[in-house]
Structures are given as C-alpha cells and as structure tokens.
Amino acid sequence: MKPVLVVNSGSSSLKYQVIDVDTNDSLISGLIERVSDHTAAFEQMVADLKASGVTPIAIGHRVVHGGSKFSQPAIVDQNVLNAIESLIPLAPLHNPGNLAGIKGAMAAFPGLIQVAVFDTAFHQTMPPAAYRYAIDRELEQKYSIRRYGFHGTSHSYVSKRAAKFLGKPNFTGVVLHLGNGGSACAVLNGRSVNTSMGLTPLQGLVMGTRSGDLDPAIVMYLANQGLSLDEIDQSLNKNAGLMGMTGDADLRDVLRRANQNDAVAREALEVYALRAKQYVGAYLAQLGPIDALVFTAGVGENSSEMRERITDGLEHLGIALDSEKNQIRDKSDRDVSRADSKVKILVIPTNEELEIAIQTAQLAGI
Ligand code: AMP
C-alpha cells in the first residue's frame, strides 16, 4: 500500500483525501469548513487520520497559481514556498490558503515529502500566439499579464484517460471541463495548446457564478457609472454567469426552471451552450482534425441535456451525438457519439485528487 495524502487548502476550508497509488483507491477523505486557523485545521485532520489508522507516505498539495515559474509539479522547499508567495498578487483568493496549507502540513508531518501540484502547469505548453494578450508590451511584462489557464490537473488527467480509452499514445482533441467553474482546453498530442481561462479563472465559458468572456470596456463603463472596483469584481466573480442571469448558480435548478417554461432560464441555457460551442469551433480551427470532444466535471459528466445543446448542429464538423447513448447514466469513461461520427464524443469523469496523488508519487519516487 502507498497512501498519498492530497490536500486542497482554500482560504476558509481544508479538503483532504488519502489515495493508495498502488490501487488508486480512496482510503479516507474529509472536509473541514470555516477554517480561520490553518494550523488548528491540520491538527484536526491529523487526528482524523490517526483515528482511521491511515499513515501517508507523501503529501500532494493543490496550488492554484504557478505563474510562468512552474510547468511541472515541484517538491516543496524554501524556493518553492517563496515562489508561491510571490504569485499571490495573481491569485489573491487562492494562493494564500494554498500556502497556509503547505505550511500546516509541513508542521504536522515534518520529514514527509511535500509536492505542490499547480492548476496552471499543464497549460505552460501553450504557444505565445495562444497565451499572449495584444496589449502594451511594457504593461504585459511589468505585471506578468498573459493567459495562464486553470483546471490543468483535470485537463491533464482527462487527456490521459481519453488517450487510453481511444487506444492512442497521445490525445488530440477538445476537453470541456464544465463544473461550477468551467474551462475548455485544446489538446494537441497530449499537450495543452490553448485554454479558455486567462490571467485569472474569470475568462472564458459561462460558469456558475462567473461571467466568462466580456468586453473589457464593461469594467470601465461600470466604474464610470459609480461602481467601485471591488463591487465590479464581486459582481463578475460571484453574481454573474448562471447566477447573474437567473438567480440560480446550479445548472440543475436552471434546467428544471427551463423545463417549466421559464424564459429567463431558457435563455441562460442558450448563452451557456453557445459559449461552449464557440470554443469547440475555435479550437477545431486551431487544432485541425481531432480524435474526440470530451465532456467532464459536474455538468459535463451528468447533464445529457447540456451535452446535447452544445453538440447540436455540429454534424458538419464531424461531431454527431447518439441521443440514446447520451441518456445512459454511468460513472465510467464512455463514448456517446454515433457510430458514423468522425469525432468521438466522450464522457470522462475527472479526478483531480487522483491526478495530484499520481503526480506526487511520481515526483517523490514512491
Ligand atoms: P463540479 O464543480 O465539477 O463539482 O460541478 C458542480 C456543478 O455540476 C453543480 O453546480 C451543478 O451545476 C452541476 N451538476 C451536477 N450534477 C448535475 C446534473 N445531473 N445535471 C446538471 N448539472 C449538474
């Protein structure tokens, strides 16, 4: 047995899971909420682990922003801690909690190898044409402004699963990670070459509470109308997307309302689906012929209706959904495309914790 502890330490919660990387089985998992003191939260987690008799041999940490510094996971040392700290301005909501988690784990498990796994790392293979914004070069360089992309651990995991499912050495295709947050990724031979999130996780698809793509002038316009930057930030991150358009952030609620003929909900579904469809088209244009379009995360894995809406009308691009296969509820990797579809449409459940455990074990050499 090789138990690896996976830690996802946010600003106010601590999520953990121990995974046996020999079998990929989850041995124990937990969530400590309303965390104000990360040291105390780790003491509670250590007590929970002790009570369950599980002793981890390495620890993997989810870290949201690795900037341009990390294209791979990294064994935590003082340099890595300093680098994560220096990236706080780019991820003020996430990196401080992640950093506190690493420090808490170092105090709780001195001597164990700790690995930082970055949400941004998988996208470091993007070419400049995809990651650069067409802005003043001086500002760009002075403030490290570029597309970083997120959900990299999920896109990496799902791309590898898709390659395996298709019996190919590497995957080429489009992955739609549609959860509470959402992002699209163009993958060429197993490497990310474009993704919809940007400098921050606000860009791209319509999400539960985030707007995704906007005309950036909307921000200046709202500021000129008298809203403070904080108010605009809050609105676009917490009160936009499905939440902003309908008052409900959970797609299940929006679908239920749409099925009861709620026009507001119906229109929100159309906005959501069209945005995702546009990214599929854009990435097809960038990639050329692809093996598959892959759906993952809460919405992608569970909502046959959203898969139907997003793929509707894409037959001319070789993407044809099988409506019956699409309805089958299943937790395994599966193909929901028609037999004559040139591009496969796959549903692949993501597992970011498992990917963090695997990457941690690889780097720790266990
Ligand atoms: P995640 O962030 O991957 O955990 O995804 C969470 C989101 O998935 C929820 O907010 C729901 O909107 C969505 N979701 C989960 N199950 C379903 C379902 N059966 N139909 C539609 N959306 C779902």
Side-chain angles (χ1 to χ4, degrees):
M1 196 193 299
K2 290 181 185 153
V4 172
L5 170 62
V6 177
V7 173
N8 184 352
S9 168
S11 54
S12 64
S13 72
L14 171 62
K15 224 168 124 183
Y16 64 91
Q17 190 173 154
V18 180
I19 294 173
D20 177 3
V21 289
D22 268 345
T23 60
N24 292 350
D25 287 338
S26 173
L27 303 174
I28 177 175
S29 62
L31 170 67
I32 301 167
E33 288 181 290
R34 285 183 282 278
V35 171
S36 53
D37 172 357
H38 281 82
T39 309
F42 271 86
E43 280 166 8
Q44 188 185 329
M45 182 190 77
V46 170
D48 293 349
L49 292 180
K50 272 216 176 100
S52 71
V54 174
T55 313
I57 57 172
I59 305 181
H61 294 271
R62 175 178 190 229
V63 180
V64 166
H65 219 306
S68 299
K69 294 190 166 99
F70 297 101
S71 55
Q72 300 286 338
I75 292 180
V76 174
D77 59 14
Q78 195 54 48
N79 286 337
V80 170
L81 289 175
N82 293 346
I84 296 171
E85 185 151 21
S86 74
L87 292 164
I88 286 177
L90 287 174
L93 300 179
H94 294 105
N95 273 28
N98 300 159
L99 194 61
I102 298 177
K103 288 180 176 165
M106 287 170 88
F109 299 95
L112 271 199
I113 287 193
Q114 316 255 348
V115 173
V117 179
F118 301 91
D119 258 20
T120 47
F122 182 61
H123 302 300
Q124 281 295 304
T125 48
M126 284 188 290
Y131 73 67
R132 285 194 64 190
Y133 292 110
I135 58 169
D136 178 340
R137 198 173 167 80
E138 249 179 63
L139 286 181
E140 185 190 12
Q141 291 178 349
K142 185 170 175 196
Y143 297 110
S144 307
I145 297 172
R146 50 163 285 179
R147 183 190 301 281
Y148 292 101
F150 300 86
H151 293 143
T153 310
S154 174
H155 287 299
S156 158
Y157 176 80
V158 166
S159 299
K160 285 188 273 182
R161 297 286 301 200
K164 205 166 173 194
F165 186 89
L166 297 167
K168 302 217 160 187
N170 284 309
F171 171 69
T172 292
V174 178
V175 180
L176 291 176
H177 175 115
L178 307 175
N180 203 8
S183 67
C185 184
V187 181
L188 183 65
N189 294 322
R191 292 152 73 91
S192 169
V193 293
N194 210 343
T195 192
S196 57
M197 283 179 166
L199 174 78
T200 75
L202 184 57
Q203 197 183 349
L205 303 177
V206 176
M207 303 176 225
T209 66
R210 282 172 251 166
S211 62
D213 292 335
L214 287 176
D215 176 348
I218 292 172
V219 176
M220 287 78 88
Y221 175 73
L222 288 174
N224 284 332
Q225 300 305 308
L227 275 80
S228 71
L229 276 182
D230 261 359
E231 284 171 327
I232 299 170
D233 186 346
Q234 279 287 319
S235 177
L236 296 180
N237 274 294
K238 302 270 180 224
N239 196 28
L242 292 176
M243 177 60 135
M245 286 189 291
T246 68
D248 278 311
D250 192 313
L251 187 73
R252 283 166 291 202
D253 297 323
V254 184
L255 285 166
R256 191 170 347 97
R257 282 171 53 186
N259 288 331
Q260 292 159 356
N261 260 330
D262 177 332
V264 167
R266 278 175 174 247
E267 204 164 276
L269 292 180
E270 282 164 19
V271 178
Y272 186 106
L274 178 60
R275 186 79 55 83
K277 193 189 294 242
Q278 286 172 325
Y279 272 95
V280 174
Y283 290 168
L284 270 170
Q286 183 182 346
L287 288 167
I290 65 170
D291 303 323
L293 167 64
V294 184
F295 286 92
T296 193
V299 173
E301 292 164 27
N302 297 305
S303 178
S304 53
E305 179 167 348
M306 190 44 78
R307 291 194 297 265
E308 182 113 40
R309 283 173 175 270
I310 292 171
T311 52
D312 183 43
L314 298 185
E315 286 84 358
H316 68 290
L317 298 173
I319 299 174
L321 189 75
D322 183 315
S323 319
E324 271 168 40
K325 281 197 225 159
N326 185 42
Q327 293 301 332
I328 300 170
R329 293 196 157 269
D330 191 348
K331 285 279 163 224
S332 58
D333 299 357
R334 58 200 191 276
D335 177 358
V336 294
S337 51
R338 274 194 341 230
D340 64 341
S341 181
K342 258 196 0 229
V343 174
K344 299 263 181 260
I345 305 171
L346 306 180
V347 179
I348 298 187
T350 193
N351 192 337
E352 290 169 277
E353 286 80 11
L354 176 57
E355 178 70 8
I356 292 173
I358 292 169
Q359 293 192 8
T360 299
Q362 275 170 357
L363 202 60
I366 56 176

